[in-house]
Amino acid sequence: TRRAARPVRGAGAATVAVGPSRAGSGAPRRHAWDLKGKVSDMEDKIRNYQTRVKSVNQENEVLKGSMAHNQTKVVELEEQLKNGRCFFSRRFSDYETEVKALSNVRSELDKVSNEKSCLEKELCSLESKYRVVETLRDSQETELQTLKLSVQESTLARLQATLRDTEEQVRSLTDTVAQQSEELHAGEMERRRLHNTIQELKGNIRVFCRVRPLQGGGLSKHIQLAASNNKMITLAKTEESHTGKTAETHKSYNFSFDRVFGPGASQQEVFDEISLLVQSALDGYNVCCFAYGQTGSGKTFTMEGGEFDDSRGCIPRAVQQVFRAAEKLGAQGWEFTFTASFVEIYNETLRDLLYTGKGSKRPEHEIRKSASNEVTITNLSYRKVSTEDEVLGLIALANHNRATAQTAQNDRSSRSHSVFQLDIEGVNAGREVKCKSTLCLVDLAGSERMVKSQSQGERFKEMTAINGSLSNLGIVISALANKESHIPYRNSKLTYLLQGCLGGNSKTLMFVNVAPEPDSFGETLNSLRFASKVNDCVIGTASVNRK
């Protein structure tokens, strides 16, 4: 018997009927005994079925791969759909926000449009007002131009008349100025003559005494100053009896000078007394001012002073007066040139205090006297100066270079004589007049005895040189006072350098500085005796250096 084959299904494929071919299919029907033929037919059918099964399996694999690909695409499409929904949701929210913002902008736009309409109406109103004002301005400008023209014509006529009157006044004033200029010049010449006459009447070598205050203030008992007489000073001392049989004895020493300044005298008060002497330097006279006294008596303070204006000494104040007076004389046609130098005498050796080079290359200096009897120093620094500050800067440099040392009398005692010199040359081209002079300001080293200063070694050598030069200064002063034929200027560098100030054509002033301490009584007495001898010295009348 023949069985019908079961249908075979592929995934996604149509059902295929499998079974033997029936009669009428075109294949010959075999006999029942032809088993071999039937087997052969069955084998053909089996091979046919196997081929078809293989083809169906291949189709099934293809369909499985297609199905997996489609499932992957479905997942991707679902993910894209999900993302698309989120994106469109966000975009929708953004659009809603923008719509709300645009709604607000629209309301603002409506508001601005309303304001614009109002402003346009106001602008139209203002433009109409402006046209009215412009028309009014044009009419007023026309009236103003007409008015100005009439006023200018009248003003011009009045100014022309005033100009003629002013020109007459200018001519008259020019003549007056010329006449007054002549009178002023004559008055200046007369002032100089009278000023120098006064100086001559006061004495060629004037001596001022200045008493330094005590450390705690006040005045020592052994120094007596008369309240009604500013030219007297008295030293009083009580001496005990050496035997004890006699009572104590009182000794007084009276001295008289051109002026005595007590401990309370200010720097300005001291300088006021010598300011006329400084003025003589601009008038063409040589002027010299020097300070003498024991160590610690206030010489350097008197000459140089302190840092503040109230405490400035004679040197900075003299420099200030010279430059200010020269500026005033410039209005009368005078032109001045100034040359400054600063030298010290240390152990009878000259040192340039304005030298700025190396110490090992410092040149040697010698005092020379020219054919015209002018004293000069070789290899010395001469600095052209044009302002007060330049001179004060040079003075500061000199103070830095000056030799100082400690002694028993003063912890920073000046161990040398310092000489500041300002050469002045003046020219009045309009008057064809020239003048030349020298302002010399000297701070002497401290004068004291060897025992009192307790100097040893190098300090002892310095003290010997200082006392020797000061002793020679006293000898020169005595020779001048006695009008001796030979004056020993060359005995020391100090007297040789000051020769022109002491015995030449110069107006000279000496400060004798006094220490008020009781243990300085002997030194004070020696200083006052020396100053009194100087005050009695007459060196002749100074003459003006004018051409």
Side-chain angles (χ1 to χ4, degrees):
T1 62
R2 205 175 45 245
R3 292 180 180 179
R6 289 175 179 269
V8 180
R9 284 182 180 273
T15 303
V16 179
V18 179
S21 298
R22 294 186 182 277
S25 60
R29 187 178 181 84
R30 295 185 183 276
H31 297 286
W33 48 263
D34 192 3
L35 294 173
K36 187 177 181 179
K38 289 182 179 181
V39 170
S40 177
D41 292 337
M42 288 300 290
E43 288 178 350
D44 291 337
K45 286 182 180 181
I46 287 171
R47 285 191 295 271
N48 186 27
Y49 282 141
Q50 287 177 345
T51 301
R52 294 190 66 180
V53 166
K54 186 177 181 179
S55 175
V56 168
N57 286 336
Q58 290 176 349
E59 290 180 2
N60 190 26
E61 291 297 327
V62 171
L63 290 173
K64 282 182 179 180
S66 176
M67 183 176 180
H69 178 69
N70 289 336
Q71 285 178 346
T72 302
K73 289 191 69 175
V74 167
V75 172
E76 291 177 354
L77 290 173
E78 287 178 350
E79 186 68 25
Q80 290 178 1
L81 179 60
K82 183 178 179 181
N83 293 336
R85 284 177 178 174
C86 294
F87 173 75
F88 285 116
S89 176
R90 288 195 300 270
R91 291 295 300 273
F92 184 73
S93 298
D94 294 341
Y95 287 148
E96 283 184 341
T97 303
E98 291 180 2
V99 167
K100 290 181 181 179
L102 290 173
S103 177
N104 294 333
V105 169
R106 184 175 183 83
S107 61
E108 290 291 332
L109 181 61
D110 293 339
K111 183 177 178 180
V112 170
S113 298
N114 293 332
E115 291 179 354
K116 178 185 175 184
S117 299
C118 295
L119 291 174
E120 286 177 345
K121 292 179 181 178
E122 291 181 3
L123 179 61
C124 293
S125 175
L126 290 173
E127 285 178 346
S128 61
K129 291 180 180 179
Y130 174 74
R131 285 191 292 271
V132 172
V133 170
E134 195 174 36
T135 303
L136 180 61
R137 185 203 65 184
D138 292 340
S139 63
Q140 288 180 345
E141 281 184 349
T142 303
E143 293 178 1
L144 181 61
Q145 291 295 333
T146 305
L147 181 61
K148 279 184 176 180
L149 184 60
S150 62
V151 169
Q152 286 176 352
E153 289 176 350
S154 61
T155 303
L156 180 60
R158 186 174 67 255
L159 289 176
Q160 287 176 344
T162 304
L163 179 61
R164 287 191 294 270
D165 295 340
T166 303
E167 287 176 347
E168 290 293 332
Q169 292 178 2
V170 167
R171 283 192 291 269
S172 176
L173 289 174
T174 300
D175 295 338
T176 303
V177 167
Q179 181 180 355
Q180 290 180 346
S181 178
E182 292 291 336
E183 293 176 355
L184 181 61
H185 177 71
E188 175 66 16
M189 294 298 103
E190 181 66 13
R191 182 200 66 78
R192 294 186 179 188
R193 187 186 66 79
L194 293 176
H195 162 68
N196 287 290
T197 300
I198 293 173
Q199 296 299 316
E200 290 167 8
L201 292 175
K202 289 184 177 181
N204 284 32
I205 295 186
R206 306 178 65 203
V207 177
F208 290 167
C209 176
R210 188 178 190 185
V211 182
R212 177 178 61 77
L214 287 167
Q215 296 296 334
L219 183 65
S220 180
K221 293 181 179 180
H222 70 277
I223 297 179
Q224 300 173 4
L225 301 178
S228 59
N229 189 347
N230 58 9
K231 297 184 179 183
M232 293 290 297
I233 180 172
T234 301
L235 294 185
K237 186 177 183 180
T238 301
E239 295 183 351
E240 296 181 355
S241 173
H242 296 290
T243 60
K245 296 181 179 180
T246 58
E248 296 179 345
T249 58
H250 296 273
K251 287 188 176 182
S252 296
Y253 303 90
N254 297 318
F255 297 94
S256 176
F257 300 108
D258 294 282
R259 179 67 190 271
V260 176
F261 296 98
S266 65
Q267 296 282 67
Q268 183 63 47
E269 183 180 349
V270 172
F271 181 74
D272 286 343
E273 192 65 26
I274 71 167
S275 60
L276 291 178
L277 193 67
V278 174
Q279 179 65 37
S280 295
L282 284 174
D283 295 342
Y285 290 87
N286 294 331
V287 175
C288 178
C289 177
F290 62 94
Y292 178 90
Q294 72 179 94
T295 296
S297 60
K299 299 184 303 299
T300 302
F301 181 76
T302 297
M303 297 304 293
E304 299 177 9
E307 297 179 359
F308 302 103
D309 288 343
D310 292 343
S311 62
R312 293 199 306 170
C314 291
I315 293 179
R317 290 176 187 271
V319 170
Q320 181 185 64
Q321 177 178 336
V322 165
F323 278 97
R324 289 185 178 180
E327 184 178 357
K328 292 181 180 179
L329 289 174
Q332 301 178 23
W334 284 93
E335 292 184 4
F336 290 92
T337 57
F338 303 93
T339 305
S341 63
F342 219 134
V343 66
E344 76 169 345
I345 304 173
Y346 176 71
N347 283 350
E348 283 299 296
T349 302
L350 298 174
R351 296 178 71 244
D352 185 1
L353 293 180
L354 302 184
Y355 178 73
T356 56
K358 295 182 179 180
S360 58
K361 296 183 179 180
R362 182 182 288 273
E364 295 183 356
H365 307 282
E366 293 183 3
I367 301 175
R368 298 284 176 82
K369 196 171 183 181
S370 65
S372 59
N373 286 330
E374 292 184 359
V375 177
T376 59
I377 300 175
T378 61
N379 301 321
L380 188 65
S381 298
Y382 291 95
R383 304 287 183 85
K384 292 286 186 181
V385 290
S386 56
T387 64
E388 174 189 349
D389 291 337
E390 290 180 357
V391 178
L392 297 181
L394 295 179
I395 293 174
L397 173 63
N399 289 338
H400 176 74
N401 294 332
R402 190 175 178 188
T404 59
Q406 182 176 1
T407 70
Q409 293 294 94
N410 193 351
D411 61 350
R412 187 166 175 80
S413 172
S414 299
R415 312 311 300 155
S416 65
H417 312 298
S418 72
V419 181
F420 169 75
Q421 189 167 300
L422 186 66
D423 295 327
I424 306 171
E425 292 187 15
V427 177
N428 191 326
R431 304 287 178 182
E432 296 183 354
V433 178
K434 296 181 180 180
C435 66
K436 183 178 180 182
S437 61
T438 299
L439 175 63
C440 187
L441 303 172
V442 185
D443 181 15
L444 298 176
S447 64
E448 58 196 28
R449 290 169 292 183
M450 306 294 183
V451 176
K452 190 171 182 61
S453 66
Q454 299 178 13
S455 300
Q456 298 177 356
E458 188 67 23
R459 299 288 83 81
F460 181 82
K461 180 180 177 182
E462 292 172 354
M463 181 56 62
T464 302
I466 291 170
N467 286 343
S469 62
L470 294 177
S471 176
N472 284 316
L473 178 61
I475 292 172
V476 168
I477 294 294
S478 297
L480 289 170
N482 297 330
K483 300 186 182 302
E484 296 179 4
S485 58
H486 172 69
I487 310 297
Y489 292 114
R490 293 177 179 266
N491 284 3
S492 72
K493 292 287 196 334
L494 176 64
T495 54
Y496 194 19
L497 184 60
L498 298 181
Q499 179 178 351
C501 303
L502 297 174
N505 183 25
S506 176
K507 295 177 178 293
T508 304
L509 167 72
M510 185 185 86
F511 277 103
V512 55
N513 292 85
V514 173
E517 287 77 14
D519 59 353
S520 297
F521 183 91
E523 296 293 337
T524 299
L525 182 60
N526 289 335
S527 296
L528 293 178
R529 282 173 173 170
F530 176 79
S532 181
K533 186 185 298 183
V534 172
N535 202 22
D536 294 335
C537 181
V538 178
I539 60 175
T541 302
S543 60
V544 64
N545 301 313
R546 188 181 294 123
K547 297 180 181 179

